[in-house]
Amino acid sequence: MSSNPGTAWTGEASPITSLKGRDCLTLLDFTPQEIQGLVEEALRMKQEWKAEKADRPLAGKALAMIFDKPSTRTRISFETGMAQLGGHSLSLNRGDLQLGRGESLADTARVLSGYVDAVLIRTFSHKALEELAQHASIPIINGLTDLHHPCQALADLLTLKESRGGLTGLTLTYIGDGNNMLHSLLEAAAATGIHLRAATPPGYEPDPVVIQRAQQVAARTGSDLHFTSDPREAVTKADAVYTDVWASMGQEEEKEQRIRDFAGFQVDTALMSLAKPDALFMHCLPAYRGLEVTAEVIDGSSSVVFPQAENRLHAQKALLAALIG
């Protein structure tokens, strides 16, 4: 099902009521109001779950999950989330499907559309994700591609909302590779009025097309997106500091070169000391202590990486309920 970005929220109803039946390929498939609505709904659902007052709006619904890449947080949080909402999930890899024997994505999309209510896919190529969505008549959810990681960014917004009480006007600094995680954080920041500073080594800047799309949204929300190659400049007076692995899945052969290229981009206590005294440290995990972050930072009092990981569950429950509930 190809995505149809919704219209702006007029205030008469929740902004997420317009999401039913839509895809989540990138965060900018949704309006700023819809993204804010998802964060609010995730917070509400988390509070109700903790209070043991949660309902089960997805009873009888099924989610197919296709994994071309290993997964811890995406797989477990979606599977657990569907169960908590009363639904059912099927965890599959390419070898479990006829995709492994050459069946086309188009045919697979049409078949799955007759069996389940939505498909989550974690794969390498964003174009493959778009092809699946083009031929499906049910919502397609991006569980990570080479270009975007929208479900993680939703959880990050929830974490910032919980920790700081609001989003607009916060300064979030990202240090490291201009990868799929930064792309989705740019979109998340632009949609919510967060000021994002990204420090990347020369040659590792984010995709210019993604930047352009995010800047168009930022111009409407008041978000400031700033790019530099100086981590110290980016971190100064930040409310939160975020990093990711230097070599993502599929880039293992580049690891040694990347370690050399990312020298000076490690988040350590000296770098964190330039941020605000109560600044948060964030990481989408898995993390490699001694490379992109020191143990003192990720295991220290400023770190919210494990609440951030838990929030994958609640952010994705809100997304699932909105798309197929």
Side-chain angles (χ1 to χ4, degrees), residues 35-308:
I35 293 169
Q36 291 270 15
L38 281 170
V39 175
E40 295 288 348
E41 181 66 5
L43 183 58
R44 184 193 70 79
M45 293 178 85
K46 180 176 182 178
Q47 292 168 342
E48 289 192 349
W49 180 257
K50 298 289 186 184
E52 299 183 350
K53 296 180 179 178
D55 56 14
R56 296 164 70 83
L58 299 188
K61 303 289 186 179
L63 172 72
M65 305 189 301
I66 302 172
F67 293 95
D68 288 336
K69 289 185 173 186
S71 173
T72 297
R73 281 150 292 276
T74 298
R75 182 191 300 265
I76 297 171
S77 58
F78 268 100
E79 188 164 337
T80 303
M82 279 298 290
Q84 290 183 2
L85 294 172
H88 175 69
S89 59
L90 303 90
S91 184
L92 308 162
N93 59 52
R94 188 170 289 263
D96 296 322
L97 302 168
Q98 295 295 346
L99 280 170
R101 298 179 59 228
E103 184 169 40
S104 70
L105 277 169
D107 287 354
T108 300
R110 294 185 182 104
V111 170
L112 290 175
S113 295
Y115 293 150
V116 299
D117 299 281
V119 175
L120 165 79
I121 183 167
R122 182 179 178 94
T123 190
F124 291 90
S125 167
H126 195 78
K127 289 184 185 257
L129 173 78
E130 292 174 333
E131 182 181 354
L132 191 70
Q134 179 184 352
H135 295 282
S137 59
I138 55 175
I140 303 299
I141 301 170
N142 180 356
L144 179 143
T145 65
D146 55 358
L147 275 183
H148 294 280
H149 199 358
C151 295
Q152 176 66 55
L154 274 177
D156 299 336
L157 291 177
L158 174 57
T159 305
L160 289 169
K161 172 82 172 175
E162 276 188 312
S163 302
R164 291 294 180 257
L167 297 172
T168 302
L170 290 178
T171 297
L172 172 64
T173 292
Y174 177 91
I175 306 292
D177 189 17
N179 59 11
N180 50 8
M181 194 63 253
L182 177 54
H183 291 164
S184 287
L185 287 174
L186 284 169
E187 295 185 343
T192 56
I194 292 173
H195 307 311
L196 189 143
R197 304 176 192 154
T200 58
Y204 292 93
E205 296 86 358
D207 187 298
V209 174
V210 175
I211 294 174
Q212 182 181 31
R213 288 188 69 201
Q215 286 176 330
Q216 289 170 350
V217 177
R220 303 197 301 270
T221 64
S223 170
D224 177 47
L225 306 179
H226 177 73
F227 303 91
T228 180
S229 59
D230 183 353
R232 293 173 62 86
E233 174 197 345
V235 165
T236 300
K237 302 298 183 185
D239 293 289
V241 179
Y242 198 121
T243 192
D244 191 9
V245 296
W246 291 342
S248 298
M249 286 178 284
Q251 298 172 334
E252 289 81 4
E253 73 282 356
E254 304 173 22
K255 183 177 178 180
E256 295 306 317
Q257 180 64 50
R258 283 173 171 261
I259 289 173
R260 292 190 290 271
D261 292 345
F262 282 80
F265 283 78
Q266 183 185 75
V267 180
D268 56 16
T269 53
L271 193 62
M272 285 294 296
S273 71
L274 300 176
K276 290 181 179 178
D278 63 346
L280 307 174
F281 173 74
M282 305 178 72
H283 194 303
C284 55
L285 302 179
Y288 297 93
R289 290 161 175 80
L291 289 180
E292 73 272 10
V293 61
T294 62
E296 291 80 6
V297 170
I298 193 171
D299 298 323
S301 59
S302 65
S303 176
V304 292
V305 298
F306 295 110
Q308 184 185 356

Side-chain angles (χ1 to χ4, degrees), residues 14-35:
S14 167
I16 64 172
T17 58
S18 60
L19 297 183
K20 186 173 176 62
R22 303 245 302 272
D23 298 320
C24 177
L25 308 189
T26 86
L27 279 185
L28 293 192
D29 286 335
F30 306 146
T31 66
Q33 292 84 359
E34 289 166 344
I35 293 169

